[in-house]
């Protein structure tokens, strides 16, 4: 009996050891499965955080606008090499020039006012980690509710140039008055001629008298 019990005890201990091994292996297997599931769940989040994402856009996705001169795309980080196109339903392009930067925003100017209709913004950038990022943003342009102001009737009836006044005097109506300066000058000239003659005659008389006096003195001195 003692021998039988001694033989039975090693068998029981061996079975217990095998059970403990199975339990530990199952526990390790479950822990490994949980770790793999956790890593698989966190992988998309880490991949999304590694790439730059679009935070906002103007116009926004699905927005309706009536006045638009440029497209603005804002990313969470500074991107590189932006390429932006604006297409209508017929795939006609309405962007003008190349896209530029305004901080972390990508700005694309348009070629002009967009006609009403459906449009799509297509973009492609290179994120800060070197991976390309692409996307599309649909929006709609609606007619403007503000009418164009029409000219008032008063301004429409005003002529471009004012009409000449009927009372404007003619250039030939007033004859130039004669100036008396010419006549006065002629009178002075005519009156100046006798005065000059008198001066010449008087000068001649003085010279003749002086000659007579000189001749008389010479005669006296000679006698």
């Amino acid at each position: 009996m003692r021998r039988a019990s001694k033989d039975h005890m090693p068998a029981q201990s061996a079975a217990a050891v095998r059970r403990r091994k199975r339990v530990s292996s199952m526990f390790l297997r479950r822990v490994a499965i949980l770790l793999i599931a956790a890593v698989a769940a966190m992988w998309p989040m880490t991949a999304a955080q590694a790439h730059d994402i679009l935070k906002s856009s103007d116009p926004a996705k699905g927005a309706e606008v009536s006045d638009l001169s440029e497209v603005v795309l804002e990313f969470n980080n500074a991107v590189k090499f932006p390429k932006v196109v604006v297409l209508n339903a017929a795939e006609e392009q309405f962007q003008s020039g190349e896209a530029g930067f305004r901080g972390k925003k990508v700005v694309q100017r348009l070629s002009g006012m967009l006609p009403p209709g459906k449009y799509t913004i297509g973009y492609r950038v290179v994120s800060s980690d070197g991976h390309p990022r692409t996307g599309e943003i649909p929006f709609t342009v609606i007619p403007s509710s503000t009418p164009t102001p029409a000219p008032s009737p008063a301004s429409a009836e005003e002529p471009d140039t004012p009409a000449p006044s009927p009372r404007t005097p003619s250039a030939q109506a007033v004859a130039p008055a004669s100036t008396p300066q010419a006549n006065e000058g002629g009178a002075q000239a005519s009156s100046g001629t006798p005065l000059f003659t008198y001066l010449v005659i008087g000068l001649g008389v003085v010279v003749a008298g002086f000659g007579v006096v000189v001749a008389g003195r010479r005669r006296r001195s000679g006698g």
Side-chain angles (χ1 to χ4, degrees):
M1 295 294 293
R2 291 179 179 177
R3 290 179 180 178
S5 60
K6 291 180 179 179
D7 294 337
H8 185 64
M9 289 176 62
Q12 290 178 352
S13 62
V17 171
R18 285 195 295 269
R19 281 197 298 272
R20 284 196 294 270
K21 288 182 177 180
R22 281 198 293 269
V23 171
S24 62
S25 63
M26 290 177 62
F27 177 75
L28 293 175
R29 196 178 299 119
R30 290 178 180 177
V31 171
I33 292 173
L34 290 175
L35 289 175
I36 293 173
V39 170
M42 294 177 62
W43 177 256
M45 296 177 61
T46 56
Q49 293 176 356
H51 299 293
D52 298 333
I53 60 174
L54 180 67
K55 291 177 58 178
S56 63
S57 64
D58 184 17
K61 185 176 182 179
E64 294 183 351
V65 297
S66 59
D67 187 10
L68 189 66
S69 60
E70 63 182 14
V71 171
V72 181
L73 307 176
E74 183 177 5
F75 294 84
N76 62 332
N77 290 316
V79 297
K80 299 177 291 185
F81 309 114
K83 179 66 177 179
V84 181
V85 295
V86 180
L87 306 174
N88 61 359
E91 296 187 355
E92 297 175 338
Q93 298 187 9
F94 290 87
Q95 72 274 4
S96 175
E98 298 295 332
F101 293 97
R102 190 181 297 161
K104 295 181 180 179
K105 299 178 180 180
V106 176
V107 181
Q108 175 64 62
R109 296 188 61 82
L110 302 179
S111 58
M113 298 298 296
L114 299 180
K118 295 184 177 297
Y119 295 84
T120 301
I121 303 171
Y123 67 89
R124 182 184 186 277
V125 297
V126 176
S127 61
S128 56
D129 61 355
H131 292 84
R133 302 287 292 173
T134 59
E136 294 183 352
I137 304 172
F139 68 97
T140 304
V141 175
I142 60 177
S144 177
S145 59
T146 304
T148 303
S152 60
S155 61
E157 294 177 358
E158 292 180 355
D160 295 337
T161 56
S165 176
R167 296 182 179 182
T168 302
S170 174
Q172 298 178 356
V174 179
S178 59
T179 57
Q181 296 179 356
N183 295 332
E184 292 177 358
Q188 291 178 358
S190 59
S191 62
T193 302
L195 179 61
F196 179 74
T197 304
Y198 297 151
L199 290 176
V200 172
I201 295 173
L203 182 59
V205 171
V206 172
V207 172
F210 181 76
V212 171
V213 172
V214 171
R217 287 182 179 181
R218 285 179 180 180
R219 289 178 183 177
R220 291 177 183 177
S221 60

